[in-house]
Amino acid sequence: MKRILIIDDEAKLRGLIARIVRLEGFEVAEAADLKSGLRELGQSDTDVLLCDVKLPDGNGVDFIQTVREKFPLLETVLMTAYGNIPDGVQAIKNGAFDYITKGDDNNRIIPLIYRALEKAELNRRVHQLEKQVGEKYSFDAIIGKSKKLLASVDLARKVAPTDTTVLLLGETGTGKEVFAQSIHQASGRSKKPFVAINCSAFGKELLESEMFGYRAGSFTNAVRDKKGLFEEANNGTIFLDEIGELALELQAKLLRVLESGEFLKIGDTQPTKVNVRVVAATNRDLTKEIEAGHFRSDLYYRLSVFEIVIPALRERAGDIEALATTFAKTFAFKANKKVNALSPAYIELLEQNRWNGNIRELKNVIERSVILTDGPILDVESLPFELVQARNDSNSSLSAFSLASAEKLHLRKVLNHTNGNKAEAARLLEIGIATLYRKVEEYKL
């Protein structure tokens, strides 16, 4: 039930408004002054506050600021016997939902409460979404306890509250964007935009217009002004992924932004100023790119004020089980399946793999496993053949050129195709089931 609090020192009028509001099915609380009203707000969740302007212990217009600080999701409607424009303007500036005159606007109270309730509900939804985003991209949400990972997280925690430019280094798929998001969420810019762009995803001309925008008429299809991503990220954070792929001409433009906080849009003669924190990432060795003439050394020194290396997954094998378990729960929920465990053999195979695609590759493998499995446990049968093959080959003493090795490989492929159904495998191989069992035992499949 929605709760409405009425603060008014006129007992008869307060009681009348309370009865009208109760007839709408709302829970109503009453208070005669600001002190007792503040106490009521602290005792129970309130959705809308109806507050008189002139009260024995203060002014309702000023009281709104206190309410907004302590109860930001609440909406307030101010009531006064003598309405005046300056008070109304100040009330709205202080955060009031609306301002009405008692007596003259009584018929507006109920419709106004309903509109204020809609706004309060929207406030709660936005707050919940912000909370979920904050939790998703907080440092605590980064999965893993390996020393290398924790060292990287510790560095990111320390630099996050500053405005320092950060360069994230690591292989593809290690989670550099997750780190960038976490740095943003832990900074003073967390309520402002986080904008990400992959510098390798566009050609030079298109990337320039995406990053910096353009003026109408600057080229054939430029029919209206366009904001670039740097402008969209103003007062927030921009994440430049694959910065090593950035064309030299754009590197010069980016350097100017980092040094002066301004840039020229395509077709513009006046610079655009922005206040943006830059977090960049690359899987390349930029010092070698500088030697090869592909990357500007002055830009590198501006970007690498604070470098953080994100370890490859093979360097943190102890984190694989926790990552795999989390991904399995996520994909099982999406697929409406009950997957509650990973078999020891399954985990062992995951931990033995090199994961050249890192966390992204692991995530894809787990999603595939969840789709293929019919039971509550992810087992080896749901893993890609190549991953199982790598383990078996490493344990095999058969020559890669021997006929037996070729036969073993073919048997494994067919069994994988039939999901371990030996009768079906024997039919496809055109051999007897007893022969198949003997070969499975012989090759220890």
Side-chain angles (χ1 to χ4, degrees), residues 31-285:
D33 53 45
L34 297 178
K35 184 178 179 181
S36 55
L38 197 58
R39 187 166 57 248
E40 280 286 345
L41 288 173
Q43 288 174 349
S44 299
D45 289 337
T46 302
D47 299 284
V48 174
L49 167 64
L50 297 177
C51 184
D52 193 12
V53 171
K54 305 288 186 182
L55 288 158
D57 55 348
N59 186 291
V61 175
D62 300 328
F63 182 61
I64 294 175
Q65 289 180 307
T66 302
V67 171
R68 295 296 289 180
E69 289 172 6
K70 295 189 175 183
F71 310 98
L73 307 184
L74 174 72
E75 290 298 329
T76 302
V77 175
L78 280 180
M79 306 179 297
T80 181
Y82 310 100
N84 64 78
I85 292 173
D87 271 359
V89 171
Q90 190 58 48
I92 300 302
K93 283 184 176 179
N94 288 357
F97 179 76
D98 210 335
Y99 183 92
I100 62 174
T101 304
K102 289 189 285 188
D104 295 343
D105 293 333
N106 281 354
N107 60 333
R108 289 182 58 205
I109 290 177
I110 296 303
L112 202 53
I113 287 175
Y114 276 107
R115 296 211 313 273
L117 282 171
E118 289 177 1
K119 180 71 176 354
E121 179 61 26
L122 180 61
N123 293 343
R124 274 192 291 274
R125 289 180 183 177
V126 170
H127 175 71
Q128 186 60 32
L129 285 172
E130 287 177 345
K131 184 180 177 184
Q132 289 173 0
V133 169
E135 289 172 352
K136 181 179 179 181
Y137 293 112
S138 72
F139 288 115
D140 293 333
I142 295 176
I143 301 166
K145 299 295 181 185
S146 63
K147 286 184 179 180
K148 286 190 175 183
L149 179 70
L150 293 179
S152 300
V153 170
D154 185 54
L155 286 174
R157 284 185 189 275
K158 288 176 179 175
V159 77
T162 73
D163 274 340
T164 301
T165 301
V166 179
L167 180 61
L168 302 173
L169 304 173
E171 297 178 8
T172 299
T174 49
K176 295 188 287 294
E177 185 166 351
V178 173
F179 266 77
Q181 283 270 20
S182 299
I183 289 169
H184 172 71
Q185 286 297 325
S187 74
R189 299 172 180 262
S190 60
K191 302 296 182 185
K192 301 298 181 179
F194 175 89
V195 176
I197 183 168
N198 189 322
C199 299
S200 66
F202 303 92
K204 181 177 75 69
E205 290 76 16
L206 184 55
L207 182 59
E208 182 176 8
S209 67
E210 287 295 316
M211 290 177 71
F212 303 111
Y214 53 77
R215 287 296 183 196
S218 56
F219 52 87
T220 305
N221 295 322
V223 294
R224 60 177 64 88
D225 289 353
K226 173 184 168 62
K227 274 187 176 183
L229 294 179
F230 267 93
E231 203 171 351
E232 295 285 356
N234 193 29
N235 296 316
T237 303
I238 190 164
F239 174 55
L240 304 176
D241 199 8
E242 304 297 351
I243 191 71
E245 307 285 343
L246 196 63
L248 282 167
E249 297 92 328
L250 295 184
Q251 290 178 30
K253 210 162 182 175
L254 174 58
L255 181 63
R256 183 180 178 186
V257 179
L258 290 171
E259 290 180 337
S260 64
E262 63 182 35
F263 59 89
L264 280 174
K265 293 183 177 181
I266 300 171
D268 205 352
T269 57
Q270 296 298 319
T272 300
K273 293 194 73 68
V274 288
N275 175 9
V276 176
R277 183 189 194 169
V278 174
V279 178
T282 182
N283 58 6
R284 292 190 174 194
D285 184 336

Side-chain angles (χ1 to χ4, degrees), residues 370-387:
V370 170
I371 292 170
L372 290 177
T373 193
D374 294 319
I377 299 174
L378 293 186
D379 211 340
V380 174
E381 286 75 17
S382 64
L383 285 171
F385 171 76
E386 296 77 15
L387 199 149

Side-chain angles (χ1 to χ4, degrees), residues 234-417:
N234 193 29
N235 296 316
T237 303
I238 190 164
F239 174 55
L240 304 176
D241 199 8
E242 304 297 351
I243 191 71
E245 307 285 343
L246 196 63
L248 282 167
E249 297 92 328
L250 295 184
Q251 290 178 30
K253 210 162 182 175
L254 174 58
L255 181 63
R256 183 180 178 186
V257 179
L258 290 171
E259 290 180 337
S260 64
E262 63 182 35
F263 59 89
L264 280 174
K265 293 183 177 181
I266 300 171
D268 205 352
T269 57
Q270 296 298 319
T272 300
K273 293 194 73 68
V274 288
N275 175 9
V276 176
R277 183 189 194 169
V278 174
V279 178
T282 182
N283 58 6
R284 292 190 174 194
D285 184 336
L286 292 185
T287 57
K288 290 183 178 178
E289 295 297 313
I290 292 169
E291 291 173 6
H294 299 153
F295 204 84
R296 295 177 61 119
S297 59
D298 47 2
L299 176 58
Y300 170 71
Y301 293 125
R302 291 289 304 187
L303 289 172
S304 62
V305 175
F306 201 95
E307 289 188 358
I308 301 174
V309 178
I310 316 299
L313 189 54
R314 61 182 168 276
E315 298 177 75
R316 40 182 292 223
D319 294 336
I320 288 176
E321 182 175 356
L323 285 163
T325 301
T326 301
F327 295 152
K329 287 179 181 177
T330 301
F331 291 124
F333 178 78
K334 288 181 178 179
N336 196 26
K337 288 189 173 185
K338 292 183 179 180
V339 176
N340 50 36
L342 284 64
S343 76
Y346 185 93
I347 294 169
E348 182 184 357
L349 269 177
L350 294 181
E351 291 177 342
Q352 288 177 353
N353 194 43
R354 282 191 58 78
W355 300 112
N356 294 324
N358 292 290
I359 296 172
R360 189 177 295 131
E361 183 186 357
L362 174 65
K363 200 171 185 178
N364 291 343
V365 166
I366 302 301
E367 182 174 14
R368 178 187 185 279
S369 288
V370 170
I371 292 170
L372 290 177
T373 193
D374 294 319
I377 299 174
L378 293 186
D379 211 340
V380 174
E381 286 75 17
S382 64
L383 285 171
F385 171 76
E386 296 77 15
L387 199 149
V388 180
Q389 157 97 20
R391 195 277 300 267
N392 287 341
D393 284 351
S394 67
N395 295 335
S396 173
S397 59
L398 291 173
S399 164
F401 300 102
S402 72
L403 184 60
S405 180
E407 184 177 52
K408 177 181 178 180
L409 177 60
H410 185 60
L411 287 170
R412 190 182 294 124
K413 283 182 177 179
V414 174
L415 285 166
N416 187 66
H417 174 74

